[in-house]
């Protein structure tokens, strides 16, 4: 997002790049959008109703199985927890992750990964990738990035 330098008194000065400003603004938009979508989903529902909706996506079955030798039990979990289905219900296809709403650097990394690896990437993830690729192109042009001879990009 930028870099930190210090002045002659040793006071840290934070400099945010234009790319950092774009990403920070987009992250703020993302966080607000996710909160708005959650608030809309919660409107008129009790916590118990929300818990039941979420439980409908959890198809896990917990079974206690005796441990050989009769020294106790272990729990075996079968089935799946379709958390992504629950998040899709609330956020549409825009959800990145819980942690992405609390840490901008994590959001950038997870968004870039979502844009490159998901079959249905979030529109926010696609915008992050676009900003990052624009930064990479500018940095290469200005000679700030030097790739090794063997790098194929």
């Amino acid at each position: 997002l930028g870099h930190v330098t210090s002045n002659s008194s040793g006071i840290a000065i934070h400099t945010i790049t234009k790319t950092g400003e774009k990403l920070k603004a987009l992250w703020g938009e993302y966080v607000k959008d996710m909160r708005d979508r959650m608030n809309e989903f919660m409107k008129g529902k009790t916590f118990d109703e929300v818990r039941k909706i979420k439980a409908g996506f959890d198809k896990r079955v917990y079974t206690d199985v005796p441990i050989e030798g009769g020294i106790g039990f272990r729990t075996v979990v079968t089935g799946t927890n379709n958390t992504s289905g629950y998040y899709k219900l609330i956020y549409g296809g825009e959800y990145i992750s819980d942690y992405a709403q609390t840490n901008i650097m994590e959001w950038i990394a997870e968004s870039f990964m979502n844009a490159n690896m998901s079959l249905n990437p979030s529109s926010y993830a696609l915008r992050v990738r676009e900003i990052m690729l624009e930064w990479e192109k500018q940095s290469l042009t200005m000679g700030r990035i030097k790739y090794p001879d063997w790098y194929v990009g």
Side-chain angles (χ1 to χ4, degrees):
L1 296 177
H3 59 278
V4 178
T5 57
S6 59
N7 64 15
S8 58
S9 302
I11 297 172
I13 300 170
H14 298 268
T15 306
I16 297 178
T17 64
K18 288 188 188 301
T19 301
E21 288 174 356
K22 288 179 189 176
L23 290 168
K24 190 173 181 181
L26 185 58
W27 181 60
E29 183 182 322
Y30 169 79
V31 170
K32 181 182 181 319
D33 187 23
M34 295 303 103
R35 286 184 185 146
D36 289 349
R37 288 172 187 248
M38 177 56 85
N39 288 337
E40 186 62 31
F41 173 75
M42 295 291 291
K43 195 180 292 179
K45 294 180 183 78
T46 65
F47 283 111
D48 193 45
E49 290 170 328
V50 172
R51 196 174 305 120
K52 286 178 184 174
I53 292 169
K54 189 172 186 177
F57 289 95
D58 189 351
K59 304 301 179 198
R60 293 176 292 186
V61 176
Y62 298 86
T63 309
D64 288 334
V65 178
I67 296 174
E68 287 183 36
I71 57 171
F73 293 89
R74 65 185 175 94
T75 302
V76 176
V77 182
T78 56
T80 59
N81 181 9
N82 184 11
T83 306
S84 62
Y86 175 69
Y87 289 142
K88 189 167 183 82
L89 175 68
I90 298 170
Y91 303 111
E94 299 302 333
Y95 180 79
I96 304 293
S97 77
D98 288 335
Y99 194 46
Q101 293 184 51
T102 61
N103 182 309
I104 188 170
M105 300 307 279
E106 189 67 29
W107 175 74
I108 292 168
E110 291 186 22
S111 294
F112 196 77
M113 185 66 136
N114 180 279
N116 289 306
M117 303 302 287
S118 175
L119 296 175
N120 300 302
S122 159
S123 66
Y124 288 100
L126 294 173
R127 289 163 63 190
V128 167
R129 181 176 66 185
E130 184 180 309
I131 292 168
M132 295 303 293
L133 293 176
E134 178 186 307
W135 172 84
E136 180 185 43
K137 183 179 176 183
Q138 289 172 353
S139 295
L140 283 169
T141 303
M142 297 172 72
R144 288 191 297 216
I145 295 178
K146 303 257 190 263
Y147 290 115
D149 293 337
W150 51 262
Y151 179 78
V152 179

